[in-house]
């Protein structure tokens, strides 16, 4: 590892030139909280407010999801096996088919994906997805509509608390704050670039 | 060979200048608004972020070691690259080992810095940029002119033409249509490549997690269908602990794009979990030095705190007028004026020694910087260094007028006083000849220079030692 040793050597030599080193400041994590974003009645209300402000769709009833999918005119989607039971009958009634295996060859055919969220952050309107909560990363990413199903107990108030509650076994944690977007062309906001153009969060009581 | 700045400035249309100016002004305003709305004392946060980063780089040897150990423990493979060439070879080696023919890339300044794409293409590996702006840059064979908004200099008509030329649909200037076409084109690339290459915004030494932020979701998509993930990250990107990320993520999103958080913020410390059907089986982290360890021992070491938010570019009057390409280097604007002459070893200094002179020293860049980097101090130090080393070329148009003024204290003071009056005077009457020539019939953002100079005068021990 010649580069490794050379880099450490150079870093150490350079650090001899600096004046001893600044201490790690002690700080109060509450100073980092955007308090005006947390003035609602409860965790879900605050989450819904902040998530809605970035074009996310907070929902609390299965019926809301069903009518949203109906209004979007979809007919085929991916669903986490663990959630199929809950969605299968209601969606079947309106002619929407779900499958619980993601077939990579058909990545363009899934119009929506339903997977579980590992949590949500009220302060920022963020849905948390992890490798163990998401049955298939592609199922939550490639469809135009992503529906994240959130157990109520998993709501977290602040960004700081969410960082502090990282599960050390999770190698991949994703925070999604609204649908995918860009403003690259003349600063004009367009939603739905590579990831979902619609991000739904369904609270599961 | 014609000077690239002259060449660029000649071609810079009034339209482009206006686009850059408008975008810079808009983002600057939105940044202030969101910070003031969300926090009682945003400046205290900037200072805190600066102190945490300063502490980290002052103890970089131990934090780098800790990050390496944490990542290795989590199953990632850690590599080190002294310079651009070594980093390119390292990436190539990983790709060849897995027999990868095509890679998808998400926006990364570190890979721009080492010019990875042309190198991989030469080796026969198709390299596809997936960030919309970077994708357009790639098909146009252009270079990014802003850290966060790579195509800030392009009009939609130009993009429409490029798409038509590259078989991505009929001429259409609607940004939504353009975005949808890119979506369709790029998903096929994601699904049929062997590796995803990303940068990294932060690395937590404590957990080894690398943090990647994108609004488009392209870093996520570069990983999900692929077997190999390679992250090329500057050695200065480390923060001590996971909890410190709250400071930086909150400030980065607000400073860069006026968001409470970037849409996709990912924390990754290894390959996918065994229960997960999609995602990389291998994760490689390439820690890049390329001059950083050298900077650490010099008087501009605070520049290593930079979190690449682009706020200093947005606010800078010189950047807004000349645009990023005028700086010739990968990094433009105030950050680039400091970093470009320092990065990449000895050759960079004479090559880019004129850039620190292209500043009005108005101090705006320092006021917006989320990690409180004293950029104007550094510009002065680098000017002094240039003088000491006898690098005296004042640069060329459009930097030349600024540089000429800045190298002569008398001319500078006069220009400063006069410039304040320019808020009220027609530009054609500007009293300094080079300034008048440069301004022509252009309009300047409201003048705010001179304060920094006054501040500097009252400050003790300002002798530069670069
Ligand atoms: S120098 Fe400061 S303001 Fe400029 S890009 Fe870096 S962090 Fe942002």
């Amino acid at each position: 590892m010649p580069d490794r040793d050379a880099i450490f050597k150079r870093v150490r030599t350079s650090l001899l030139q600096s004046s001893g080193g600044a201490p790690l400041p002690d700080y109060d994590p509450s100073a980092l909280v955007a308090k005006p974003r947390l003035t609602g009645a409860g965790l879900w209300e605050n989450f819904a407010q902040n998530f809605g402000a970035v074009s996310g769709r907070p929902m609390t009833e299965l019926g809301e999801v069903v009518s949203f999918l109906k209004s979007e005119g979809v007919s085929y989607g991916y669903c986490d096996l663990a959630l199929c039971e809950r969605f299968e009958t209601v969606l079947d009634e309106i002619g929407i088919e779900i499958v619980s295996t993601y077939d990579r060859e058909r990545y363009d055919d899934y119009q929506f994906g339903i997977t579980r969220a590992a949590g949500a952050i009220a302060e920022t309107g963020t849905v948390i997805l992890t490798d163990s909560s998401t049955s298939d990363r592609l199922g939550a990413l490639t469809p135009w509509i992503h529906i994240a199903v959130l157990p109520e107990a998993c709501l977290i108030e602040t960004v700081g608390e969410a960082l502090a509650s990282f599960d050390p076994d999770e190698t991949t944690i994703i925070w999604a704050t609204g649908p995918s977007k860009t403003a690259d062309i003349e600063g004009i906001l367009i939603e739905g670039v590579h990831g979902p153009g619609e991000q739904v969060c369904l609270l599961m009581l | 060979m014609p000077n690239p700045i002259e060449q660029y400035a000649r071609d810079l249309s009034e339209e482009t200048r206006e686009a850059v100016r408008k975008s810079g002004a808009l983002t600057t305003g939105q940044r202030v608004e969101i910070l003031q709305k969300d926090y009682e004392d945003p400046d205290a946060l900037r200072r805190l972020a600066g102190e945490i980063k300063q502490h980290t780089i002052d103890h970089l040897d131990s934090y780098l070691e800790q990050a390496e150990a944490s990542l290795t423990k989590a199953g990632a493979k850690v590599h080190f690259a002294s310079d651009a060439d070594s980093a390119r070879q390292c990436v190539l080696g990983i790709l060849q080992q897995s027999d990868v023919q095509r890679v998808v890339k998400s926006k990364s300044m570190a890979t721009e810095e080492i010019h990875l794409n042309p190198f991989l293409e030469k080796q026969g590996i198709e390299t596809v940029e997936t960030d919309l702006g970077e994708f357009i840059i790639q098909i146009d064979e252009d270079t990014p002119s802003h850290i966060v908004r790579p195509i800030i200099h392009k009009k939609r008509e130009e993009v429409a033409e490029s798409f038509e030329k590259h078989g991505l649909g009929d001429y259409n200037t609607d940004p939504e249509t353009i975005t949808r076409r890119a979506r369709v084109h790029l998903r096929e690339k994601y699904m049929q490549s062997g590796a995803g290459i990303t940068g990294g915004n932060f690395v937590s030494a404590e957990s080894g997690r690398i943090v990647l932020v994108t609004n488009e979701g392209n870093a996520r998509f570069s990983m999900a269908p692929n077997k190999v993930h390679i992250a090329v990250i500057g050695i200065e990107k480390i923060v001590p602990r996971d909890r410190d990320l709250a400071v930086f993520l909150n400030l980065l999103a607000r400073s860069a794009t006026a968001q409470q958080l970037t849409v996709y913020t990912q924390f990754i410390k290894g390959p996918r979990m065994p229960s997960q059907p999609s995602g990389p089986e291998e994760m490689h982290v390439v820690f890049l030095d390329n001059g950083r360890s050298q900077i650490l021992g010099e008087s501009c070491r605070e520049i290593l705190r930079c979190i690449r938010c682009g706020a200093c570019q947005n606010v800078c009057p010189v950047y807004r007028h000349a645009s990023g390409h005028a700086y010739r280097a990968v990094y433009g604007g105030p950050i680039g004026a400091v970093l470009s002459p320092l990065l990449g070893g000895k050759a960079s200094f004479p090559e880019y020694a004129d850039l620190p002179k292209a500043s009005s020293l108005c101090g705006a860049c320092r006021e917006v910087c989320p990690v409180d980097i004293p950029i104007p101090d550094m510009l002065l130090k680098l000017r002094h260094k240039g003088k000491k080393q006898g690098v005296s070329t004042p640069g060329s148009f459009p930097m030349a007028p600024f540089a000429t003024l800045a190298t002569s204290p008398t001319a500078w003071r006069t220009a400063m006083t006069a410039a304040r009056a320019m808020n009220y005077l027609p530009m054609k009457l500007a009293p300094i000849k080079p300034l008048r020539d440069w301004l022509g019939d252009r309009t300047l953002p409201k003048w705010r220079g001179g304060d920094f100079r006054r501040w500097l005068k009252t400050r003790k021990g300002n002798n530069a030692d670069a």
Side-chain angles (χ1 to χ4, degrees):
Chain A
M1 277 193 132
D3 278 22
R4 183 192 183 279
D5 297 342
I7 290 174
F8 275 99
K9 198 171 159 209
R10 281 196 300 269
V11 167
R12 291 192 173 115
T13 310
S14 283
L15 287 177
L16 294 175
Q17 310 294 314
S18 74
S19 51
L24 180 60
D26 197 20
Y27 59 94
D28 175 7
S30 74
L32 309 173
V33 180
K35 294 178 189 81
R37 293 180 184 270
L38 293 167
T39 51
L43 282 178
W44 173 257
E45 286 72 15
N46 285 324
F47 168 79
Q49 165 73 30
N50 292 316
F51 185 54
V54 288
S55 306
R57 295 179 187 270
M59 298 182 186
T60 51
E61 306 281 339
L62 190 58
E64 272 180 274
V65 176
V66 173
S67 24
F68 172 66
L69 288 177
K70 205 173 160 185
S71 71
E72 290 284 305
V74 299
S75 58
Y76 186 71
Y78 167 82
C79 182
D80 177 349
L81 183 64
L83 297 167
C84 273
E85 208 183 319
R86 191 176 285 255
F87 285 90
E88 213 159 24
T89 329
V90 282
L91 291 179
D92 194 49
E93 273 170 20
I94 55 165
I96 298 176
E97 187 193 345
I98 50 174
V99 289
S100 61
T101 319
Y102 187 95
D103 178 358
R104 290 175 60 125
E105 301 299 315
R106 298 194 61 185
Y107 68 89
D108 248 353
D109 296 340
Y110 305 104
Q111 296 161 311
F112 63 93
I114 306 175
T115 67
R116 284 169 295 147
I121 309 170
E123 181 189 359
T124 45
T126 301
V127 176
I128 303 174
L129 309 171
T130 61
D131 256 10
S132 47
S133 72
T134 306
S135 48
D136 194 314
R137 290 193 198 179
L138 288 168
L141 177 63
T142 59
W144 179 256
I145 301 166
H146 177 232
I147 297 156
V149 180
L150 174 75
E152 193 181 20
C154 298
L155 268 163
I156 298 170
E157 187 164 40
T158 67
V159 166
E161 285 163 33
L163 288 167
S165 64
F166 273 172
D167 177 348
D169 291 333
E170 289 288 354
T171 55
T172 296
I173 298 168
I174 292 168
W175 291 0
T177 307
S180 151
K181 67 183 182 190
T182 185
D184 272 348
I185 302 170
E186 293 185 14
I188 297 159
L189 180 73
I190 307 290
E191 285 170 352
V193 192
H194 306 286
E198 291 283 1
Q199 179 68 59
V200 177
C201 182
L202 171 67
L203 184 68
M204 201 167 65
L205 298 172
Chain B
M1 216 175 74
N3 181 303
I5 293 187
E6 273 173 46
Q7 199 175 322
Y8 186 77
R10 260 207 309 269
D11 297 344
L12 188 67
S13 67
E14 210 38 60
E15 230 180 12
T16 308
R17 201 188 314 281
E18 180 59 13
V20 175
R21 192 201 64 77
K22 237 168 120 179
S23 167
L26 184 72
T27 317
T28 300
Q30 289 170 336
R31 170 199 159 274
V32 173
E33 200 179 308
I34 190 169
L35 279 170
Q36 288 183 346
K37 199 178 98 198
D38 283 346
Y39 297 111
E40 269 171 34
D41 190 356
D43 279 338
L45 281 188
R46 295 195 305 118
R47 283 193 297 273
L48 174 63
E51 284 166 20
I52 299 174
K53 270 307 265 194
Q54 191 59 45
H55 162 80
T56 319
I57 59 170
D58 282 350
H59 300 84
L60 191 58
D61 53 341
S62 43
Y63 282 123
L64 192 57
E65 218 159 34
Q66 196 189 353
E68 179 193 19
S70 308
L71 276 161
T72 309
K73 193 169 149 231
K77 178 110 181 47
V78 181
H79 312 256
F80 289 87
S82 271
D83 53 28
D85 183 52
S86 166
R88 291 188 294 254
Q89 293 297 342
C90 177
V91 172
L92 178 66
I94 300 165
L95 295 174
Q96 283 175 338
Q97 212 162 51
S98 299
D99 202 18
V100 173
Q101 311 290 331
R102 176 194 280 163
V103 297
V104 276
K105 271 192 68 217
S106 89
K107 189 175 159 357
S108 140
M109 289 312 285
T111 59
E112 285 290 337
E113 191 185 311
I114 62 167
H115 304 291
L116 184 62
N117 297 9
F119 170 78
L120 291 180
E121 293 275 350
K122 230 182 244 163
Q123 304 295 324
I125 298 172
E126 187 190 345
T127 309
V128 184
E129 287 289 350
T130 58
D131 171 85
L132 180 60
E134 291 285 346
F135 173 68
I136 293 164
I137 292 281
Q138 190 180 32
I139 61 174
D140 282 355
E141 295 180 32
D142 197 353
T143 54
S145 72
H146 188 280
I147 301 180
V148 177
R149 303 228 154 107
I151 55 164
I152 193 172
H153 59 289
K154 277 191 201 299
K155 303 293 291 176
R156 66 178 89 178
E157 289 80 10
E158 295 170 64
V159 180
E161 268 170 38
S162 298
F163 269 51
E164 190 184 22
K165 195 170 119 199
H166 289 90
L168 295 163
D170 301 337
Y171 182 85
N172 190 317
T173 59
D174 172 35
E176 184 157 3
T177 307
I178 294 170
T179 307
R180 294 288 170 269
R181 285 174 177 174
R183 177 182 171 98
V184 172
H185 175 79
L186 288 169
R187 21 189 66 205
E188 208 188 302
K189 302 279 184 193
Y190 290 119
M191 297 303 288
Q192 287 158 17
S193 48
I197 299 181
T198 69
N201 297 83
F202 305 99
V203 182
S204 159
E206 172 188 59
S207 64
R209 284 189 198 280
I210 71 159
V211 186
L212 265 170
V213 307
T214 76
N215 273 319
E216 299 182 4
N218 52 319
R220 206 179 152 198
F221 217 150
S222 297
M223 279 177 251
N226 280 316
K227 286 213 299 278
V228 179
H229 171 212
I230 306 172
V232 182
I233 308 176
I235 54 171
E236 83 286 17
K237 292 283 169 182
I238 298 179
V239 300
R241 306 162 300 195
D242 286 5
R243 55 174 286 214
D244 300 317
L245 291 167
V247 180
F248 296 102
L249 291 172
N250 279 321
L251 280 171
L252 175 60
R254 287 176 175 89
S255 304
T257 45
Q259 291 169 276
Q260 71 266 43
L261 273 180
T262 313
V263 176
Y264 296 105
T265 302
Q266 307 177 155
F267 307 86
I268 305 149
K269 62 166 186 175
R272 66 174 165 79
M273 291 175 68
S275 60
Q276 175 56 241
S278 302
E281 286 156 18
E282 285 173 35
M283 179 196 187
H284 298 265
V285 176
V286 182
F287 280 119
L288 172 71
D289 182 348
N290 202 31
R292 289 160 171 83
S293 60
Q294 193 70 34
I295 299 175
L296 191 61
E298 291 168 3
S299 66
C300 290
R301 63 176 69 86
E302 293 103 321
I303 203 68
L304 295 175
R305 293 182 203 158
C306 175
I307 58 172
R308 309 282 190 270
C309 73
C312 59
Q313 300 184 318
N314 294 330
V315 81
C316 176
V318 180
Y319 176 90
R320 284 187 195 173
H321 264 274
S323 112
H325 283 157
Y327 294 77
R328 315 193 294 280
V330 169
Y331 302 96
I335 171 65
V338 176
L339 206 52
S340 304
L342 295 174
L343 270 183
K346 290 202 160 56
S348 303
F349 191 74
E351 190 182 346
Y352 296 121
D354 60 306
L355 298 184
K357 297 178 183 176
S359 164
S360 62
L361 293 181
C362 66
C365 47
R366 183 184 191 156
E367 281 166 28
V368 298
C369 178
V371 280
D372 200 26
I373 301 176
I375 297 176
D377 289 6
M378 294 179 183
L379 294 172
L380 282 176
K381 286 177 185 173
L382 290 173
R383 287 176 186 185
H384 188 72
K385 179 176 168 180
K387 230 179 188 171
K388 252 181 28 188
Q389 295 190 4
V391 190
S392 60
T393 50
S396 309
F397 189 86
M399 298 301 187
F402 275 115
T404 311
L405 287 176
T407 36
S408 153
T410 323
W412 182 254
R413 269 194 303 274
T414 319
M416 274 297 187
T417 323
R420 198 173 282 282
M422 286 182 339
N423 285 337
Y424 313 101
L425 287 172
M427 290 300 113
K428 282 195 179 66
L429 301 180
I432 306 293
K433 171 83 167 74
L435 199 61
R436 185 171 63 229
D437 291 349
W438 184 74
L439 286 165
D441 55 0
R442 297 170 190 118
T443 51
L444 272 176
K446 195 166 157 56
W447 189 263
R448 39 177 308 161
D451 295 346
F452 176 77
R453 201 183 164 79
R454 269 200 297 283
W455 165 79
L456 192 73
K457 234 170 143 179
T458 58
R459 196 169 152 258
K460 278 193 206 119
N462 58 19
N463 283 340
D465 60 347

